[in-house]
Amino acid sequence: MLGLFRNFFNSRFGVGITLAFLVLIAIAFASADVTGGNFGGIAGGEVVAHVGKGKIGTAEVQQTARAAFDNARQKDPALTMPQFFTDGGLDDLIGGMIERLAVWEWGEQHDMAVSNRLVGSELAQIPAFQGPDGKFNDQTYRAAIAQRRLTDQTVRDDVSKGLMARLVLTPATYGVKMPREVLMRYVALFKEKREGDIAILPSALFVPKSKPDDKTLESWYKSHTDQFIQPERRVLRYAIVDATSLKNVPAPTDAEIAQRYKDNSAVFAPSETRTLTQLIVPTQDAAQAIAAEVAKGASLEASAKSKGLETAHLDKMSKASLAGQTSQAIADAAFAAAKGTLLAPARGPLGWILLHVDAIESNPGKTLEQARPELVKAMTMEAQRKALSDAAASADDKFSTGSSLADIARDLGVEIKTTPPLVSSGEVFGKPGQQAPEEVKPLLNAAFSMEREGSAQVAAMANGTSFAIFDVSQITASAPAPFAEAKDAVLRNFMLDHGFDAAKAASDKVLAALAKGKKLAEALKEAGAPMPPPQHIAMTREELSKSGNRIPPALALMFSMARNTDKRLEAPNHMGWFIVALDTITPGEVKPDDPLIDSGQSDLSSVQGRELSDSLRKAIVADVGSKRNAAAVAAVRKQLFGQQ
């Protein structure tokens, strides 16, 4: 309910990079786009930052940035790298990486350690690394990290650092609770009401009455070419190779099916899984206090939330996987307990563990004949994937020895398709709203990383069921549109630009009238042209918060002004100027039993916990020491953004 205050304190990267980097890895591996990218370093592997005795290289920054960008593109396919990292976003990401490495260095300095067993148990929980039986599969894991051009050591180092961050930072947030008196002040601010008026002086009402001649227009265009930059566009040639393209993939024999059943007897034997809610706290006393609250009727989630903690949901865990994540003794106790039971607190790798048994699911197992359909399906898919993998490897080898895209397409019996000119977002250049075919979108990152035309590549597609062979047949660099092509847009921007300046001059007159005591509606008459009437605003911060993250700028300004003041604000895209006149501020009234106080306790305590964690991370960075290489950061930015 106090989401407005949460938004004030949240940042785009911050804690996410430091505490949840493992989640980023999981998302990156589990995503359909596994084409990879150019994760190579710059200038022989320059160092972006020194952190204590460690360092962060350009390749690591590119890799992290591309993984974060790929994840964001899943939600917004039209997103571009510059848009994603706008407003200092790349610097924030690098700052998060510095903090993460500093926490690792600090932990090691103070004799903290993350065991290989714990790293292995974390990897086992990532769905992208699991086989058909839902368990960690080394072959699947190796294939997944190879597609991302990562090594086993790199992934394990990343997971280790994430676990160290959890080990070091979690105690700082445990048990944080915002004092009730402070909460009442926040709730009162939340109920504060403001009244005033907002008017806009549109640029369109102040445009010149006559159009400029071509000479004037072209002169203006030359000094404003940055407004008419056409993005880089590329034409792709590609072909998709899937199971239907392959010939003579053998079906599994009865003997092979029987052997597979025997090899996986544990999968088809009777089994039991349990769904659990887990909470990890740093001390035994804290764990026993929470257990006592649950015994009195509170849920484990509610008890944890009241202390600024969060529980984890462990879905359909086998005894072996739970033992790998906790200990054999804890797993034995969990699988001996009845549904609805909260286990007694037990010592775990990262603290004291509380487990609640949410559900129990028993599997009666399957005979060979019962399992045959799924075995045939799985073995057929494996054979097809192996054939696809062999074909992809063969194509890649041939490309490296000089074979052309047409040669390989002919050998594979597939048809080459050609796209229209595309921009990096996947939109067809010059045709707003028209997108590249879906099968091309996973290729865009790699295609826009190619340095020259005609350099063919192989890229794995979604779920390993197909791969693409492709190249870029035409590259058109980003540049200002020719004046003749952009003339209509130039005229429109010219008129709007002059109207914008005139609207600002008119707003000066309105502000002067307001300073003399006139009301906004009366002051607008000084603008020199009929203006839209002002809009009267009377709302509380609570009502404002319902706008979520899309609070109109003029309203945001009104809620940051002093009473009886007037402010001017530029409207987006040179569309005009807002005039905001705030008349009254009515303080919010809060009773001691106001339900907002209790509902806001968890939200603001969570914010306070994050602030403590932020402070600890910053203190650790200062203690360990760090130094950025501005030249290397600039080089990474240029390469990521495709700048020359």
Side-chain angles (χ1 to χ4, degrees):
M1 191 170 290
L2 293 180
L4 177 63
F5 297 112
R6 290 201 306 271
N7 294 335
F8 286 163
F9 292 108
N10 282 332
S11 63
R12 182 166 23 164
F13 295 103
V15 177
I17 289 292
T18 304
L19 292 180
F21 191 79
L22 180 62
V23 177
L24 179 61
I25 294 175
I27 293 172
F29 280 121
S31 68
D33 179 6
V34 292
T35 61
N38 180 13
F39 294 151
I42 299 171
E46 288 187 22
V47 176
V48 169
H50 289 276
V51 184
K53 296 180 180 179
K55 59 186 179 181
I56 298 171
T58 55
E60 185 179 353
V61 174
Q62 287 186 72
Q63 179 180 329
T64 305
R66 291 186 188 279
F69 175 64
D70 288 346
N71 181 36
R73 282 280 296 272
Q74 301 298 316
K75 299 178 181 178
D76 183 4
L79 188 68
T80 66
M81 188 75 78
Q83 289 171 342
F84 180 61
F85 286 114
T86 190
D87 297 330
L90 182 60
D91 292 327
D92 290 344
L93 181 138
I94 293 172
M97 296 177 70
I98 289 172
E99 290 177 349
R100 184 167 167 270
L101 180 54
V103 170
W104 172 263
E105 293 269 321
W106 189 87
E108 286 199 318
Q109 289 174 13
H110 292 79
D111 299 323
M112 297 182 181
V114 176
S115 68
N116 290 332
R117 178 183 176 187
L118 186 57
V119 172
S121 70
E122 289 293 324
L123 291 174
Q125 304 309 310
I126 298 178
F129 301 156
Q130 296 172 357
D133 58 357
K135 297 181 180 179
F136 179 82
N137 183 287
D138 188 67
Q139 185 176 0
T140 302
Y141 165 71
R142 300 284 175 180
I145 66 174
Q147 288 172 338
R148 280 285 173 184
R149 302 180 187 178
L150 300 173
T151 65
D152 174 63
Q153 189 60 48
T154 298
V155 174
R156 290 181 179 275
D157 286 347
D158 284 336
V159 174
S160 296
K161 287 181 174 64
L163 290 168
M164 179 68 81
R166 193 189 307 172
L167 182 65
V168 171
L169 300 174
T170 298
T173 65
Y174 173 72
V176 175
K177 193 171 184 178
M178 183 75 75
R180 193 172 185 84
E181 293 77 9
V182 177
L183 278 168
M184 290 181 67
R185 294 296 185 97
Y186 272 107
V187 173
L189 183 62
F190 200 56
K191 291 176 174 291
E192 174 191 278
K193 183 177 181 179
R194 296 194 171 209
E195 290 191 55
D197 296 285
I198 298 176
I200 184 170
L201 282 67
S203 300
L205 296 181
F206 294 90
V207 297
K209 299 188 184 311
S210 59
K211 295 182 180 179
D213 56 37
D214 285 356
K215 184 177 181 180
T216 301
L217 199 59
E218 189 165 3
S219 175
W220 184 87
Y221 161 78
K222 289 178 180 179
S223 60
H224 294 80
T225 53
D226 59 315
Q227 297 183 20
F228 308 98
I229 299 294
Q230 293 180 330
E232 178 184 307
R233 53 270 189 202
R234 300 191 173 201
V235 175
L236 278 65
R237 297 190 306 155
Y238 71 98
I240 305 297
V241 183
D242 57 21
T244 61
S245 308
L246 303 176
K247 306 292 188 274
N248 303 320
V249 178
T253 64
D254 288 343
E256 290 171 335
I257 295 171
Q259 185 61 46
R260 176 62 65 87
Y261 179 81
K262 181 179 179 182
D263 293 341
N264 292 273
S265 57
V267 175
F268 299 107
S271 62
E272 180 178 288
T273 60
R274 300 204 165 197
T275 297
L276 308 156
T277 298
Q278 174 183 271
L279 176 65
I280 301 176
V281 294
T283 66
Q284 184 177 16
D285 289 344
Q288 289 175 342
I290 292 174
E293 290 184 8
V294 174
K296 293 178 181 179
S299 70
L300 183 57
E301 293 91 336
S303 180
K305 194 172 183 180
S306 69
K307 296 171 177 59
L309 303 174
E310 291 187 10
T311 57
H313 183 69
L314 307 181
D315 189 43
K316 296 182 180 179
M317 299 286 288
S318 67
K319 182 185 285 191
S321 59
L322 182 60
Q325 187 170 328
T326 55
S327 69
Q328 189 61 53
I330 293 175
D332 289 341
F335 275 76
K339 178 181 175 181
T341 300
L342 178 69
L343 274 65
R347 182 77 137 149
L350 293 176
W352 287 83
I353 297 177
L354 289 159
L355 283 176
H356 183 272
V357 182
D358 300 333
I360 301 173
E361 186 173 315
S362 298
N363 176 14
K366 292 182 180 180
T367 65
L368 173 60
E369 289 308 310
Q370 289 173 329
R372 178 180 290 274
E374 64 183 272
L375 287 171
V376 169
K377 181 179 179 180
M379 294 173 73
T380 299
M381 289 181 63
E382 287 176 12
Q384 290 174 344
R385 288 184 177 181
K386 184 179 185 306
L388 280 169
S389 178
D390 291 344
S394 175
D396 196 43
D397 289 341
K398 291 177 180 178
F399 283 145
S400 65
T401 58
S403 294
S404 68
L405 183 68
D407 293 336
I408 304 304
R410 183 176 59 252
D411 293 344
L412 292 170
V414 292
E415 178 186 357
I416 294 177
K417 301 177 184 178
T418 303
T419 70
L422 303 175
V423 298
S424 60
S425 66
E427 187 172 279
V428 177
F429 176 72
K431 297 183 178 179
Q434 186 173 332
Q435 291 283 323
E438 287 297 322
E439 60 191 6
V440 171
K441 290 182 179 179
L443 310 177
L444 290 173
N445 283 342
F448 274 83
S449 298
M450 292 180 177
E451 296 181 356
R452 63 183 185 275
E453 299 168 349
S455 179
Q457 288 189 15
V458 177
M461 301 295 278
N463 302 321
T465 59
S466 62
F467 68 90
I469 54 175
F470 69 101
D471 69 9
V472 175
S473 62
Q474 182 181 337
I475 300 175
T476 305
S478 176
F483 174 73
E485 291 182 15
K487 186 175 179 180
D488 289 343
V490 173
L491 176 60
R492 181 177 63 251
N493 287 16
F494 174 92
M495 302 293 279
L496 191 64
D497 189 56
H498 283 69
F500 178 77
D501 292 339
K504 184 177 182 180
S507 70
D508 288 334
K509 298 177 182 178
V510 174
L511 288 171
L514 288 170
K516 294 177 181 178
K518 291 185 178 181
K519 292 295 184 181
L520 184 54
E522 186 68 20
L524 286 174
K525 295 178 181 179
E526 303 294 326
M531 292 292 106
Q535 181 180 0
H536 184 70
I537 303 296
M539 66 167 54
T540 64
R541 289 185 186 272
E542 183 176 8
E543 293 169 331
L544 180 69
S545 70
K546 295 177 182 179
S547 301
N549 291 325
R550 297 185 177 182
I551 297 174
L555 279 178
L557 176 60
M558 174 174 277
F559 275 84
S560 64
M561 294 167 54
R563 184 172 59 88
N564 289 329
T565 59
D566 311 303
K567 300 288 185 182
R568 175 173 58 196
L569 179 68
E570 179 181 337
N573 303 316
H574 272 207
M575 297 306 294
W577 295 89
F578 290 110
I579 300 292
V580 182
L582 177 60
D583 297 327
T584 62
I585 300 176
T586 305
E589 295 184 3
V590 184
K591 295 181 180 179
D593 59 349
D594 193 308
L596 274 177
I597 298 175
D598 291 330
S599 65
Q601 176 66 260
S602 176
D603 291 338
L604 285 173
S605 295
S606 177
V607 169
Q608 187 181 15
R610 286 199 297 272
E611 287 185 328
L612 290 172
S613 179
D614 289 346
S615 298
L616 177 57
R617 290 196 333 269
K618 288 178 172 59
I620 288 173
V621 172
D623 185 57
V624 171
S626 67
K627 184 177 181 180
R628 298 195 194 196
N629 180 346
V633 173
V636 170
R637 181 178 285 106
K638 286 182 179 179
Q639 189 166 86
L640 287 172
F641 295 179
Q643 298 170 348
Q644 300 299 321

